[in-house]
Amino acid sequence: MKNYTFWFAAGSQHLYGGETLRQVEENCRAIADGLNGSGRLPYPVAYKMTVKTAEDAARLTAEANADGDCAGIITFCHTFSPSKMWINGLARLRKPYLHFHTQFHREIPDDAIDMDYMNLHQSAHGDREHGFIGTRMRLPRKVIAGYWRDAAAQERIGQWMRSAAGAVFSEGLKVTRFGDNMRGVAVTEGDKVEAQIRLGWQVNTVPVGRLTEVMAEVSDAEIAEKMAEYREKYDFAPSAEDAAAYQAREEIAIQRLLDAEGCAAFTNTFEDLYGMRQLPGLATQNLMSRGYGYGGEGDWKTAALTAVLKAMGGVSSFMEDYTYDLKRGLILGAHMLEVCPCIAADRPRVEVHPLGIGGKEPPARLIFEGKAGRATVSSLVDMGGRLRLITQDVECVKPPLAMPRLPVARVMWKPSPNLETGAESWILAGGAHHTVLSYDCGAELLRDWARIIGAEFVHIGENTTPHGLEQELFWNDLAWKLK
Ligand code: MN
């Protein structure tokens, strides 16, 4: 990820006089230093200015909008700061926005408190005025309340920063489609023009014939180098070398075409591999482990989502709900081949097996078990006029079955609140069979990202009931039609 900076601006006004304003600035610099020194923020905070006039607010947001390194602004009203002076600036803000409701001192100094102290340490008062204008203007912002030296507040700011950086990354995202989406499938479709207008995503196609031309240009030396990388990272089954070398050729060619256009994600489909001998398996898995997003069967929305979650930091993979173990209340997640080895519990192994469908040569793929731990699965669906992000809390477990004849990478998880209610809720929300499984992007982070990019967010967690969710979806639908 790029080295983004977040701008910190205090709210005040000239009414208080120079001495108070100097103190506000000094304290806000100390807060920024404290946050930066905490080690809990993934990006630095830079104190930018104390906003005292409408011109200051307009300058703050215009400069933030124009700065490609600025991934968001954080405001805090140390004193009262009349909000009408913020309107013109905030109305034009195009960066993620956090209102951090804090206070310079943790405690009220019993003996020292007087009216000067009250006028200086007034966020309880000023941040309410500041909050009103955010709500009145329907600004999609995050509010975090807490003491700036406390770990909990710092952690939450750090999480929000990841969502904001993800949104800025998302704005410039390009996706390459090798072939169309799988014939007849609905959920992998979507309005690419709408996605670009709303999210900035550029989704374009590259002919599979062009990919095979580039594959033919890959040299033996490049393949040898890629094979050395595979051997360093993975174990090999006997006689997997030849098929893996073909995957190396595919990976190098795919990456060359992606990099030529600055694309961070791609799709393909086993229905359109004209001129290719194997469906890319190991090739796609290794590309994903190196940060590229992927969605199977032409699923460009999930490809983009995989890239964004990877960019927000942590361990995330393209995933698919495959088969249930109804007795144990577990879902077996896998794909034909393309699960990212970043989620592997142990060192993955390259094996070659035939595919039951598609009519191509047996492809090399990585086989492994996903690791145990708390995670989320997320699906992005096109509701017509808007995108809906559905996120479900899950608990990944060590698979209780060895499944020795299953020739793909596999993960097993228990969905929240349980398999039946979780599945009912997921289906009511319109969630796809394709998802992104993430061990590091939690529901709050994803909700924050959805708010910034203007997508609807639906969370399925411990307290979800199908009836309550049905009501929420009904009201959401009405609200989004009015938007
Ligand atoms: Mn699929």
Side-chain angles (χ1 to χ4, degrees):
M1 273 299 254
K2 200 169 158 176
N3 237 341
Y4 294 117
T5 298
F6 287 78
W7 291 11
F8 184 44
S12 190
Q13 58 180 329
H14 281 297
L15 178 75
Y16 300 106
E19 180 47 36
T20 298
L21 289 171
R22 265 191 300 280
Q23 196 62 52
V24 165
E25 181 166 334
E26 194 182 313
N27 291 352
C28 288
R29 286 186 189 281
I31 291 172
D33 290 346
L35 293 174
N36 289 330
S38 72
R40 295 192 175 88
L41 271 49
Y43 302 98
V45 172
Y47 168 78
K48 196 69 187 174
M49 64 162 78
T50 299
V51 172
K52 302 176 286 283
T53 63
E55 290 69 29
D56 287 345
R59 185 161 60 84
L60 171 74
T61 59
E63 287 177 6
N65 289 343
D67 188 330
D69 294 332
C70 172
I73 69 163
I74 303 173
T75 60
F76 153 59
C77 291
H78 196 303
T79 68
F80 198 79
S81 179
S83 279
K84 283 161 97 176
M85 78 185 193
W86 284 84
I87 292 173
N88 299 54
L90 289 176
R92 285 154 191 83
L93 180 64
R94 293 188 49 80
K95 295 280 174 156
Y97 170 26
L98 167 66
H99 179 184
F100 182 36
H101 180 46
T102 190
Q103 181 172 279
F104 186 68
H105 292 299
R106 190 195 297 267
E107 290 180 67
I108 293 172
D110 195 5
D111 289 335
I113 187 167
D114 58 12
M115 280 317 292
D116 285 346
Y117 182 96
M118 293 266 275
N119 284 328
L120 177 59
H121 299 285
Q122 221 180 26
S123 60
H125 184 80
D127 269 339
R128 282 172 163 72
E129 165 75 358
H130 196 59
F132 165 73
I133 206 64
T135 299
R136 172 68 176 79
M137 294 173 73
R138 278 81 172 168
L139 297 174
R141 88 281 198 206
K142 174 81 169 176
V143 180
I144 295 177
Y147 189 52
W148 56 279
R149 289 184 195 273
D150 282 351
Q154 294 164 351
E155 296 278 359
R156 292 186 68 209
I157 294 172
Q159 290 288 311
W160 173 80
M161 283 179 161
R162 288 173 59 200
S163 75
V168 174
F169 168 84
S170 172
E171 224 171 58
L173 182 59
K174 294 183 181 178
V175 183
T176 289
R177 303 163 69 233
F178 296 107
D180 203 343
N181 76 314
M182 190 178 162
R183 281 186 284 275
V185 177
V187 79
T188 54
E189 289 280 9
D191 185 335
K192 298 191 283 292
V193 174
E194 186 74 12
Q196 188 166 352
I197 292 168
R198 292 198 179 227
L199 312 181
W201 294 355
Q202 298 174 57
V203 184
N204 288 304
T205 189
V206 169
V208 177
R210 178 67 193 134
L211 176 57
T212 59
E213 280 175 7
V214 176
M215 281 169 57
E217 292 161 9
V218 174
S219 71
D220 291 347
E222 289 172 302
I223 290 172
E225 197 182 330
K226 184 57 75 180
M227 286 295 284
E229 180 192 331
Y230 290 162
R231 278 189 212 97
E232 197 184 311
K233 293 158 85 172
Y234 314 123
D235 291 337
F236 272 71
S239 70
E241 299 273 334
D242 286 353
Y246 190 76
Q247 293 281 329
R249 181 183 294 280
E250 290 180 328
E251 176 175 348
I252 293 161
I254 292 168
Q255 186 183 343
R256 191 164 295 163
L257 286 163
L258 296 181
D259 291 354
E261 297 295 328
C263 292
F266 72 104
T267 72
N268 56 14
T269 168
F270 66 88
E271 287 183 332
D272 187 355
L273 298 173
Y274 195 83
M276 296 169 74
R277 283 165 34 206
Q278 295 177 28
L279 174 66
L282 169 59
T284 298
Q285 291 175 295
N286 199 55
L287 280 165
M288 255 193 287
S289 76
R290 295 166 55 234
Y292 292 91
Y294 175 77
E297 293 93 48
D299 189 344
W300 54 270
K301 300 191 301 298
T302 307
L305 189 62
T306 308
V308 171
L309 266 64
K310 282 178 173 292
M312 288 197 286
V315 172
S316 305
S317 175
F318 174 59
M319 187 50 64
E320 184 169 73
D321 298 80
Y322 237 107
T323 302
Y324 292 135
D325 189 317
L326 293 166
K327 184 182 162 198
R328 294 177 174 85
L330 294 174
I331 296 176
L332 172 62
H335 202 255
M336 281 174 76
L337 303 173
E338 308 91 342
V339 176
C340 182
C342 71
I343 67 167
D346 297 302
R347 191 173 157 92
R349 179 178 157 93
V350 179
E351 296 188 20
V352 181
H353 301 274
L355 284 177
I357 43 181
K360 291 283 170 177
E361 288 178 16
R365 82 287 305 274
L366 292 169
I367 300 183
F368 55 87
E369 277 184 358
K371 61 182 185 176
R374 291 178 62 83
T376 55
V377 287
S378 296
S379 169
L380 194 62
V381 295
D382 190 326
M383 292 298 295
R386 72 179 186 278
L387 290 171
R388 169 181 287 168
L389 179 66
I390 304 151
T391 294
Q392 182 167 36
D393 300 332
V394 303
E395 179 79 37
C396 294
V397 299
K398 174 165 176 54
L401 307 163
M403 299 177 282
R405 293 164 63 87
L406 183 69
V408 290
R410 74 290 302 271
V411 192
M412 290 187 89
W413 65 83
K414 174 190 151 340
S416 282
N418 56 58
L419 179 56
E420 288 79 9
T421 307
E424 284 173 21
S425 302
W426 187 268
I427 286 169
L428 281 171
H433 54 289
H434 282 172
T435 62
V436 183
L437 170 72
S438 178
Y439 292 80
D440 293 293
C441 295
E444 183 174 358
L445 174 77
L446 292 163
R447 183 189 297 278
D448 289 346
W449 177 66
R451 183 189 307 111
I452 297 168
I453 67 166
E456 179 190 0
F457 183 72
V458 175
H459 178 221
I460 301 170
E462 216 45 56
N463 300 317
T464 299
T465 63
H467 174 70
L469 186 74
E470 202 175 359
Q471 291 287 310
E472 179 185 336
L473 296 172
F474 176 76
W475 292 119
N476 280 6
D477 219 28
L478 286 179
W480 280 89
K481 279 173 186 154
L482 297 172
K483 265 182 114 142

